Amino acid sequence: MDRIWENLKNKKALTVFLTAAYPNKERFFEIVDLMAKNSVDVLEIGIPVEDPFLDGETIAKTHEKALENGFNEKELKEILKTLREKYPELMVVIMTYKIGIEKYNLLSMKEYYDALLCPEEALTLENVNLINIYNEEMSLEEIKSRLKYNSAFAYVVSGVGKTGGTEKMPEKYKHTMKVIREISEIPIQIGFGVNKVEDATAVINSGADGVIIGSEFIRKVNSGSDEEIVKFINEMSSAITKAHTK
């Protein structure tokens, strides 16, 4: 836990999602290298499962591709160990469904990642840093219950729905964030629908501690262009920094 606070202290974080071994293992590491060199603070790694039912089409297809390539527990462990050795300053958050935690024996690998996130339900595990998800439809009691086990940062969605939307970003996260702020000092990051510089700026201006980008980043990865990836990261990072220093 100290590692997370020390690396993210006194700054607004840029968290970027990438599915493990996508589009293949070699390219995955090339993309992570671009992230590490261009101001990404947290790498959220999606662990492939056969039915990522809470993800939109863009991310769901990355799960399918990784599984088609033969992704397995051994490969995941190799990836996580390499990330820890090669990029010690990069925070690594694992995002997967309950079946993924079991299928890949993730609790045996916790020395290689900084926190674990499960999108389908709040985890109540001991001896592992957890991230839980919050939205505007949750009661105060449910939010309090989730916060008891949330030891990294609170993942607040911009609005209820699946990942991957390209329309105007919802603003319902502001209500959720306000509720959390009244009962906890935990850092808050906002995800779902953060596609443009204007979205990232609005999130930081609202008082959030970080921005989480998933589907739009995958679209940049799918372009096959390193230049597009770096440009996107730098634009988002710059927007976050400018909004924070206003």
Side-chain angles (χ1 to χ4, degrees):
M1 196 58 206
D2 291 342
R3 194 179 116 90
I4 296 176
W5 299 136
E6 190 61 33
N7 281 270
L8 300 183
K9 188 168 56 178
N10 300 322
K11 70 177 299 184
K12 301 294 185 179
L14 174 59
T15 296
V16 178
F17 173 93
L18 182 62
T19 300
Y22 180 81
N24 54 59
K25 187 176 178 181
E26 180 181 4
R27 183 59 176 156
F28 171 86
F29 278 110
E30 290 176 353
I31 296 166
V32 172
D33 196 55
L34 295 177
M35 290 184 183
K37 291 177 179 177
N38 290 280
S39 304
V40 172
D41 301 295
V42 182
L43 168 60
E44 180 187 353
I45 301 181
I47 307 302
V49 297
E50 292 183 354
D51 182 22
F53 59 92
L54 290 175
D55 287 296
E57 182 179 7
T58 299
I59 290 178
K61 284 185 175 180
T62 68
H63 286 242
E64 182 180 346
K65 176 67 174 176
L67 291 173
E68 285 177 355
N69 290 342
F71 185 81
N72 55 38
E73 180 182 336
K74 180 181 178 182
E75 183 174 22
L76 174 58
K77 189 170 185 178
E78 290 174 354
I79 286 173
L80 293 178
K81 287 179 68 175
T82 300
L83 288 174
R84 187 60 95 217
E85 292 166 1
K86 192 171 181 180
Y87 308 102
E89 298 303 311
L90 185 64
M91 301 293 95
V92 175
V93 169
I94 297 294
M95 194 290 283
T96 192
Y97 294 76
K98 284 180 65 180
I99 191 171
I101 295 174
E102 299 168 2
K103 178 179 180 180
Y104 299 105
N105 200 19
L106 277 167
L107 297 183
S108 72
M109 303 181 195
K110 58 187 180 181
E111 65 187 284
Y112 302 119
Y113 57 84
D114 295 289
L116 178 63
L117 162 68
C118 179
E120 62 191 297
E121 68 176 61
L123 297 176
T124 57
L125 302 170
E126 301 290 343
N127 301 317
V128 58
N129 292 329
L130 298 176
I131 296 171
N132 283 322
I133 291 181
Y134 305 83
N135 64 55
E136 73 275 8
E137 294 183 354
M138 291 178 182
S139 67
L140 178 60
E141 290 70 25
E142 184 172 4
I143 289 175
K144 285 181 177 179
S145 176
R146 289 181 176 230
L147 286 170
K148 286 180 182 177
Y149 294 94
N150 200 149
S151 53
F153 60 82
Y155 188 135
V156 173
V157 299
S158 61
V160 172
K162 288 190 176 184
T163 62
T166 57
E167 299 178 355
K168 180 177 171 59
M169 180 182 168
E171 296 187 355
K172 295 178 180 178
Y173 69 90
K174 294 180 181 178
H175 167 76
T176 314
M177 189 166 63
K178 181 176 182 293
V179 173
I180 294 173
R181 290 281 193 231
E182 290 175 350
I183 56 179
S184 175
E185 295 182 355
I186 192 169
I188 296 173
Q189 294 198 37
I190 311 298
F192 281 43
V194 183
N195 299 318
K196 304 183 293 295
V197 164
E198 293 80 7
D199 299 329
T201 299
V203 164
I204 299 304
N205 283 340
S206 73
D209 300 294
V211 172
I212 302 168
I213 303 170
S215 297
E216 188 62 25
F217 184 73
I218 296 297
R219 294 183 188 106
K220 302 303 180 187
V221 169
N222 291 344
S223 76
S225 166
D226 284 5
E227 290 75 17
E228 281 291 311
I229 292 171
V230 171
K231 180 173 181 280
F232 180 71
I233 292 172
N234 286 336
E235 286 177 346
M236 287 297 187
S237 177
S238 178
I240 291 169
T241 300
K242 287 179 181 178
H244 179 44
T245 55
K246 272 187 178 180

